[in-house]
Amino acid sequence: MRDLAPRRKAEVCAIVDAHLGRSRVRVFGSRAQRKAKPFSDLDLLVLSAPLGATLRGTVEEAFDESDLPFRVDIAEAALLSPAFRAAIEPQVLPLD
C-alpha cells in the first residue's frame, strides 16, 4: 500500500485481516497512484460476493473506531458498474 506510514499500513492490514482477508482486498485511487495528500481517503476494493449489511457494517465500524486520521471507503467489486470497474482497473493494486 502506497502513501501510508508503516504504522497506518499495519492498522489497515490488521482490520482487513480480521474481517475480510487480505487476499480479497485491493487498493485504488489516490493512494494507489501515489498522489495522496496526508488526509486523502483510502479506497479499498473487495473482490468477492457482496459483503452483506452485517459484515460491511462491522468493517466500516472497525475503520471508524480506528486511530486512522483518514476515511476508508469500501467498494465491492460485485456491486460496481462495468464502467466504474473499467475506469479503476488500471490503478488497482494488492493490499500489501
Side-chain angles (χ1 to χ4, degrees), residues 19-74:
H19 301 286
L20 300 170
R22 204 175 308 185
S23 65
R24 295 173 43 187
V25 178
R26 303 290 182 267
V27 179
F28 69 99
S30 63
R31 292 197 184 270
Q33 297 176 20
R34 293 186 183 221
K35 295 179 180 178
K37 296 178 181 168
F39 294 97
S40 291
D41 68 346
L42 172 64
D43 297 305
L44 298 180
L45 177 65
V46 180
L47 306 174
S48 66
L51 296 177
T54 301
L55 178 56
R56 185 178 181 90
T58 298
V59 175
E60 288 175 343
E61 184 176 4
F63 280 118
D64 288 345
E65 292 179 353
S66 74
D67 291 330
L68 296 169
F70 50 81
R71 179 181 168 88
V72 177
D73 290 328
I74 300 169

